[in-house]
Amino acid sequence: MTDQDQGQEEAFVHLTPKGPDDAADTQADLDREMAQIAEQYEASGRTETQPRLDYAPYRSSILRHPTKDLHHADPETIELHAPAFGERDVHRLESDLTIQSGGEPIGERIRIRGRVLDGDGRPVRRQLVEIWQANAAGRYIHKRDQHPAPIDPNFTGVGRCLTGDDGSYEFVTIKPGPYPWKNHHNAWRPAHVHFSLFGTDFTQRMITQMYFPGDPLFALDPICRSIVDPKARERLVARYDHDVSEHEWLLGYTWDIVLSGSNRTWTEGDSNV
Amino acid sequence: MSENTARTGLAATPGQTIGPFYGYALPYEKGEQLVHPSHPQAVRLHGVVTDGHGAVVPDALLEIWQADGTGAVPTADGSLVRDGYTFTGFGRAAVDNVGHYTFTTVDPGPTEPGRAAFITLTVFARGLLNRLFTRIYLPEDTAALAADPLLRSLPAERRRTLIARREADGSLRFDVRLQGEEETVFLTYPNLAD
């Protein structure tokens, strides 16, 4: 292909969204689609800090995003409170994913720790954090995950903890591997840990994914790139933290989480002040 | 999609899809039972989640959070390990293979006298890049519904999507339509960036 042909091909990029079952696209097709959306975003001069719900490169989103704008609501009493979780709900040992079964799971042992804060920088105290992830080979213990990588009989990849009074959370786990999926041909998700979070009010409820620094798959992944703002995307990447690593035992990562929402006006009776 | 209008320098962490493999991690035993089915006021809240083609979504997870029958906001913990007697106000249910979900709960009372009673609902699904919030209003108190600030701010054909239907057996039916015909009204709140 001559340079001129290539230029012509660039000029006629075919961007018709395909159906969710169409996995005939190549990574190059996806890269072109994602680059075009990135350019349009940059030209818009706006700042978006959350993922777009309508992001066609993630094929499954095509039929599952609302087409009408989210409707602005003034939060009412129940929305300004959150369910309470306590020691009855979560055992201390559930935050160590390496001791859930009889033996040692295979892989890089890591610690992930950080703080959960609200939009005003206040710690989210005594609240539930749940995580789930693939094993070191990139395989989930889930009947629908048929990716032919080994199951680790000593690793379920599920953990829970309650945040401390300073909003801190901590998990010991195994570093997950990347895994292949059917979004397009040769599609691979960067290694990630799913996080489920509750805040001090229900409007802060959120599920997200934490990624690892320097992952070459990050830029190729339409789920990451549905967050069109590069700075916002970086907020999902943990930092390697040598102070969290332990001599001859594990490597440490630090990742802080900010849950913005409709914080109610705090009163003296509030335990979260 | 609006710009982030948060009042502080702390930028919110972005959300991401729940993905397809939450099934062994998030649903838990009796998660969908806010009260035991034999509770004298037990009500079944159920429905389907559908996509833009009207097809059922078999990999969605729903959470509800609500006041008790008197309108009081629950403060008790124990949602993850139910004792069968304490009303915590929180429930979590995965849809089944045909996109159907069920909670067992009680009708919430209004949190303030004369206000319309509703249950808050959060929707997560594979293919849904961030959670969606909505409200499930009880259908009976028509005066309160007519006066409700949120419902009043919506055209009639969209308002309908937020009001549950009471079935002959006393169940509440509430379908979630992510896209298309009769698309459910989804909400955003002050200080949220989406």
Side-chain angles (χ1 to χ4, degrees), chain A residues 13-14 157 180 230:
Chain A
V13 173
H14 182 69

Side-chain angles (χ1 to χ4, degrees), chain A residues 50 58 60 62-65 67-68 71 73 77-79 81 89 119-120 130 141 202 205 208 211 258 262, chain B residues 8 13-16 24 52 59 63 65 80 92 112 115 122 126-127 135 153 179 183 186 188-190 193:
Chain A
Q50 291 292 331
Y58 176 33
S60 302
I62 293 172
L63 290 174
R64 294 185 177 193
H65 71 271
T67 54
K68 299 183 167 66
H71 192 80
T77 303
I78 191 69
E79 290 157 331
H81 291 79
D89 296 297
D120 296 326
E130 297 163 284
I141 296 208
F202 205 68
R205 179 75 181 101
T208 189
Y211 300 93
V258 177
S262 311
Chain B
T8 70
T13 304
Q16 292 271 261
Y24 65 97
D59 39 21
E63 289 179 352
W65 165 236
L80 293 183
R92 178 182 285 170
E112 287 82 19
R115 295 306 295 266
T122 316
R126 180 179 69 86
R135 292 177 183 175
S153 69
Q179 189 186 93
E183 188 178 294
F186 298 106
T188 184
Y189 301 94

Side-chain angles (χ1 to χ4, degrees), chain A residues 141-213:
Chain A
I141 296 208
H142 188 291
K143 59 181 184 293
R144 287 191 199 140
D145 182 7
Q146 291 303 318
H147 159 41
I151 294 271
D152 185 336
N154 296 315
F155 191 72
T156 61
V158 179
R160 289 183 189 144
C161 73
L162 293 174
T163 56
D165 285 343
D166 57 352
S168 61
Y169 74 87
E170 184 171 298
F171 292 99
V172 172
T173 183
I174 295 295
K175 190 174 181 190
Y179 79 86
W181 60 312
K182 297 185 193 310
N183 188 70
H184 52 282
H185 184 69
N186 201 16
W188 290 83
R189 297 273 358 257
H192 60 277
V193 177
H194 295 267
F195 271 72
S196 162
L197 301 144
F198 290 79
T200 50
D201 73 53
F202 205 68
T203 69
Q204 294 170 308
R205 179 75 181 101
M206 185 181 68
I207 284 179
T208 189
Q209 300 179 27
M210 186 208 86
Y211 300 93
F212 292 87

Side-chain angles (χ1 to χ4, degrees), chain A residues 3-70:
Chain A
D3 282 353
Q4 198 185 353
D5 287 341
Q6 212 151 13
Q8 279 195 329
E9 191 181 315
E10 288 299 331
F12 295 104
V13 173
H14 182 69
L15 278 174
T16 312
K18 297 181 170 63
D21 294 322
D22 192 333
D25 305 295
T26 63
Q27 183 67 51
D29 294 333
L30 264 282
D31 291 347
R32 271 194 297 271
E33 281 182 52
M34 295 193 291
Q36 187 173 67
I37 294 168
E39 278 165 35
Q40 287 163 348
Y41 170 67
E42 208 164 323
S44 76
R46 296 164 32 140
T47 304
E48 296 176 25
T49 57
Q50 291 292 331
R52 288 188 179 179
L53 296 172
D54 177 6
Y55 193 73
Y58 176 33
R59 302 299 187 223
S60 302
S61 76
I62 293 172
L63 290 174
R64 294 185 177 193
H65 71 271
T67 54
K68 299 183 167 66
D69 286 343
L70 299 178

Side-chain angles (χ1 to χ4, degrees), chain B residues 50-105:
Chain B
T50 50
D51 71 10
H53 283 168
V56 292
V57 171
D59 39 21
L61 182 88
L62 306 187
E63 289 179 352
I64 59 172
W65 165 236
Q66 64 167 90
D68 69 14
T70 72
V73 177
T75 55
D77 63 16
S79 293
L80 293 183
V81 182
R82 308 252 191 223
D83 66 10
Y85 296 90
T86 308
F87 187 78
T88 66
F90 175 78
R92 178 182 285 170
V95 296
D96 62 18
N97 290 336
V98 289
H100 203 122
Y101 74 90
T102 289
F103 290 97
T104 309
T105 185

